[in-house]
Amino acid sequence: MASLDEKWKAVDNFEPIVVDRERDVVRVTKELYDLHKSRKQLRGVTSSCNYRLTIPFAPHLFGSGKTTFARTYLELVQRVGETSLSTFASDPSSRTFLEKLKRTSLLYADLKELKPTVPIEFFRNLKWAVYYLLYRSACNQMGLPFMKPDEAYRHIPPYPSFLIPELQKTLGIPSDQYLLIAIDEVGVFDTKATLFELEKNDKGVVRPYNDFFGIISQLCKEPDLFFIVVGKSKGLSIKNDVAFGLSRVILHFIPLSPLDASSIVEFLEKSLLKTPTQEPVCNVLCSSSFSVNELADSLLECTGGVPGLLTRAVNMLLNYIIARNQPFISKEECLTCMNDDNFRRICAEPFVERILNLDEDRKSVFDILLMMALYRIPSKVDDRLTSESYLHDAVTEMGLYRYPIDQNTFQVLIPKVFVGIFKNDPSISSLEKILLGSLDVEPVDCFFYSKCRVFEGIVALRLVLMLPSKNRNELRELLGQLSPIWKQMKLPISTISPIHYIKSVVSSRETRSESNKSRRTFANTEWNKIIRETLYLETIYIPLDATSHSPDIIFKLQSPVEPKVLTVGVACKGRWKSEGIGWSDIIDEAKKFLDPVYDQVLSSAMDYHHCMLIIVSTKLSLNVSNELGNQSRCYSNGMFIRGDSFKVPDNCELVILCERDMEMLIDEEILNGLERAFHVSHNPTFWDFGLDLLDRIRNSFLSWQ
């Protein structure tokens, strides 16, 4: 029998195609056109001086598709020219530029090959090393022999007027044809800077990227020459005004967003096997009972749509399917493979090295980034962690990914295949493990921006940390006083489960665009199947419709001494409005959760299965508060609410927390901070919350570890 590593061997079985890069192509094309229009300003032959050289730059880490994009940009221009670029080419000048761009030649240069070279007087001269690398790359690209460094220096002194004609001659292009130079692995200067003599600023500090982009800026003065720079780097800030001082160059960020489900479908349908038959990948992996859309959903769930992870996962699945000579027959079978610990480990290993070797300063913000990913807190490019550190850069340096919401707003993305490796890292805290576990069970392609999202997340984590704690706490004592079922659980509970967000359930193959989301309502037979299967997997999905809402949080608790299981649903109502929530809201929540759970599961389950719904609100209506006497209340099985509006089913309970007892879960300062943030925006960003508030939230979790 093959070993586990052989079973999941990541052999290159297919030729991946580039998809879903239209927005990036348009952005880069506009930047190149701006350089084309403003070249005279750079050369100082015009009185205008409002242009500052901008170079398209992709600083992502391994797997985001930066090298592939740089290599295939010109092919993509040809592919999308008649569609996505049609608006750009709406005037004669830009249209002429685009037509000429389509005939551009590409020179690819890898800075990993950069090294000091002779002649001896220029041995540590960075400019000459870059020039010689570009010349040698052109020769290698054309399959031509190249001059040795000392001979090349006599023919190509380190001046643009000598280098550019030599590159044109070597590449066989006329002098008036555009040349695009794609420079990869710019991050080598993190380690290679000491090999060169570099300029020091007035404080004696060397900034190698200043020197490198100074060389590029001089070359950009030459007509018909353009650059794209990509590479992963610790020392190159996305906000390079800070990294460079007021530098001569702006680096324009290329988003290279992860792929959505529809783009993954296109990827699977157009990528072909490396065999004489060149069969589409989807034909090999899918059967008549397992569609390419289901495969795309599964891959999105596993990889988050990160191109490098996606390609590696598909290669591993192909290797497995080809070896057994039988395609997948269901989504469940495919997900079982991708959820295998060894599959995840092998798939993720090349991608996670950086985050496992972080310094303490970066590790200290990992839980903040996990909270942002779980609670869907977006960030802006210029959001700061400290006076000298940007959150945007922290995501890059830690080896995580980001999904762009708009041009300057991003969402932290942590692919599920990373979770197992992170959780096994001995330096990961128990709080981080819970956050990782919660991310692992939540659908990746669900970017609901619920106004309750952060509120419900804080409530969930506080509950999960407080309930199994051996320390005395008022909330657990309150639940013990209110709830007969709670008394029978004989707390403290010895284990905790990750949090499961229910409102993120959406119909399959939807895009990440919120406006295109539709809430899914399960048919009765499907609901029955889901509730029975997932009860034992610590997950229950509740049906959603246009007028009613399910619990936002659900987790399972099991007594350590009694054979009793309690499934807890928490309905969070984050309403900062004068009227608060009323009885109709409460009864609606109870009907949507307790009735189907009882009808489909508890009515035929053993007596030790119980269900509780907790209503948690930032504000109850005056009517509700008066009827409850401003106290929390538990309605046990058989009790009626509001006359005969709702009867609590057997083995079920409904708990309504009053506003005073709410502060056992979230202190007043955090509630006030949330209220301020949500008054600013329906979907507040990292800046709206503020680092102080997020730190306070984190510390409220750590106090129960």
Side-chain angles (χ1 to χ4, degrees), residues 363-532:
K363 279 188 177 179
S364 67
V365 300
F366 186 44
D367 50 10
I368 292 286
L369 295 181
L370 287 171
M371 285 165 54
M372 292 181 65
L374 184 62
Y375 300 162
R376 305 291 190 248
I377 300 174
S379 62
K380 301 288 187 179
V381 170
D382 54 358
D383 283 337
R384 291 178 180 270
L385 282 172
T386 67
S387 60
E388 297 183 356
S389 174
Y390 285 87
L391 186 146
H392 201 82
D393 295 325
V395 174
T396 298
E397 291 173 21
M398 295 176 77
L400 305 177
Y401 298 90
R402 58 180 76 83
Y403 183 85
I405 297 169
D406 57 41
Q407 185 168 340
N408 294 306
T409 311
F410 301 85
Q411 174 69 57
V412 177
L413 172 64
I414 302 178
K416 286 192 176 184
V417 292
F418 287 6
V419 169
I421 292 181
F422 291 164
K423 288 174 71 175
N424 290 330
D425 182 355
S427 67
I428 293 293
S429 69
S430 59
L431 170 60
E432 289 165 342
K433 287 182 179 179
I434 294 172
L435 290 167
L436 286 164
S438 301
L439 281 168
D440 195 26
V441 298
E442 184 177 5
V444 167
D445 194 29
C446 297
F447 281 70
F448 266 103
Y449 294 136
S450 160
K451 189 170 182 178
C452 237
R453 185 82 195 192
V454 183
F455 174 58
E456 71 195 28
I458 297 171
V459 170
L461 266 177
R462 289 280 292 181
L463 282 170
V464 166
L465 289 167
M466 291 170 72
L467 296 181
S469 173
K470 294 181 180 179
N471 299 326
R472 175 183 177 274
N473 67 81
E474 294 176 324
L475 177 67
R476 202 167 59 200
E477 291 179 0
L478 173 67
L479 290 172
Q481 295 168 11
L482 295 173
S483 162
I485 293 177
W486 203 267
K487 293 176 184 176
Q488 298 172 24
M489 293 296 291
K490 297 190 181 298
L491 297 171
I493 301 165
S494 59
T495 59
I496 56 179
S497 67
I499 307 145
H500 300 254
Y501 287 99
I502 308 308
K503 67 171 56 177
S504 292
V505 180
V506 294
S507 57
S508 61
R509 299 183 299 281
E510 293 284 352
T511 68
R512 281 188 175 98
S513 172
E514 183 184 6
S515 61
N516 292 331
K517 288 285 186 189
S518 62
R519 293 187 168 184
R520 181 179 182 182
T521 300
F522 295 109
N524 189 61
T525 53
E526 187 181 10
W527 168 238
N528 185 40
K529 177 176 180 290
I530 290 171
I531 195 73
R532 288 184 178 279

Side-chain angles (χ1 to χ4, degrees), residues 78-127:
Q78 295 279 1
R79 190 193 303 175
V80 307
E82 301 302 321
T83 54
S84 300
L85 287 170
S86 58
T87 303
F88 161 76
S90 59
D91 62 83
S93 176
S94 57
R95 189 159 51 248
T96 300
F97 171 80
L98 181 59
E99 289 305 313
K100 194 171 179 180
L101 184 66
K102 292 178 180 178
R103 301 190 296 274
T104 299
S105 292
L106 174 73
L107 172 60
Y108 174 81
D110 187 343
L111 285 181
K112 286 188 294 187
E113 305 298 322
L114 184 72
K115 57 185 177 182
T117 189
V118 294
I120 193 65
E121 62 268 28
F122 283 94
F123 183 70
R124 297 188 65 202
N125 184 286
L126 177 61
K127 183 177 181 180

Side-chain angles (χ1 to χ4, degrees), residues 642-673:
R642 296 288 288 172
D644 58 356
S645 297
F646 178 72
K647 180 182 179 181
V648 179
D650 291 343
N651 286 356
C652 295
E653 288 183 336
L654 172 65
V655 175
I656 305 172
L657 290 185
C658 68
E659 293 172 40
R660 183 190 64 240
D661 293 335
M662 253 293 301
E663 292 187 21
M664 298 177 186
L665 282 172
I666 305 182
D667 70 44
E668 186 175 3
E669 286 194 36
I670 293 177
L671 280 173
N672 291 339

Side-chain angles (χ1 to χ4, degrees), residues 25-219:
V25 169
V26 171
R27 178 172 291 193
V28 170
T29 303
K30 287 179 178 178
E31 294 300 328
L32 299 183
Y33 180 57
D34 285 346
L35 171 57
H36 169 72
K37 289 191 304 180
S38 307
R39 190 99 60 179
K40 289 182 179 179
Q41 290 187 41
L42 289 180
R43 303 184 73 175
V45 297
T46 176
S47 58
S48 178
C49 58
N50 59 357
Y51 175 71
R52 188 171 165 197
L53 175 60
T54 302
I55 294 177
F57 171 59
H60 304 277
L61 291 182
F62 185 49
S64 60
K66 58 189 181 300
T67 298
T68 300
F69 179 81
R71 283 182 173 274
T72 62
Y73 165 72
L74 293 175
E75 297 174 26
L76 294 170
V77 168
Q78 295 279 1
R79 190 193 303 175
V80 307
E82 301 302 321
T83 54
S84 300
L85 287 170
S86 58
T87 303
F88 161 76
S90 59
D91 62 83
S93 176
S94 57
R95 189 159 51 248
T96 300
F97 171 80
L98 181 59
E99 289 305 313
K100 194 171 179 180
L101 184 66
K102 292 178 180 178
R103 301 190 296 274
T104 299
S105 292
L106 174 73
L107 172 60
Y108 174 81
D110 187 343
L111 285 181
K112 286 188 294 187
E113 305 298 322
L114 184 72
K115 57 185 177 182
T117 189
V118 294
I120 193 65
E121 62 268 28
F122 283 94
F123 183 70
R124 297 188 65 202
N125 184 286
L126 177 61
K127 183 177 181 180
W128 168 239
V130 170
Y131 275 38
Y132 184 69
L133 173 64
L134 294 177
Y135 159 71
R136 193 177 65 185
S137 299
C139 293
N140 288 336
Q141 187 168 299
M142 301 302 294
L144 299 174
F146 51 85
M147 294 179 281
K148 292 182 178 179
D150 51 354
E151 182 185 0
Y153 181 77
R154 290 194 295 271
H155 288 84
I156 320 170
Y159 298 98
S161 58
F162 288 93
L163 174 67
I164 304 309
E166 186 67 29
L167 294 179
Q168 291 168 336
K169 182 180 73 173
T170 304
L171 295 169
I173 62 175
S175 59
D176 62 346
Q177 181 173 318
Y178 291 167
L179 173 60
L180 174 65
I181 299 178
I183 296 183
D184 199 358
E185 298 295 347
V186 68
V188 299
F189 291 111
D190 288 347
T191 56
K192 285 191 175 184
T194 56
L195 300 178
F196 301 96
E197 291 180 352
L198 302 173
E199 183 180 345
K200 294 182 180 180
N201 62 18
D202 54 2
K203 296 181 180 179
V205 177
V206 172
R207 294 192 184 276
Y209 295 101
N210 261 3
D211 294 68
F212 172 73
F213 282 104
I215 295 167
I216 300 303
S217 66
Q218 289 299 311
L219 288 171

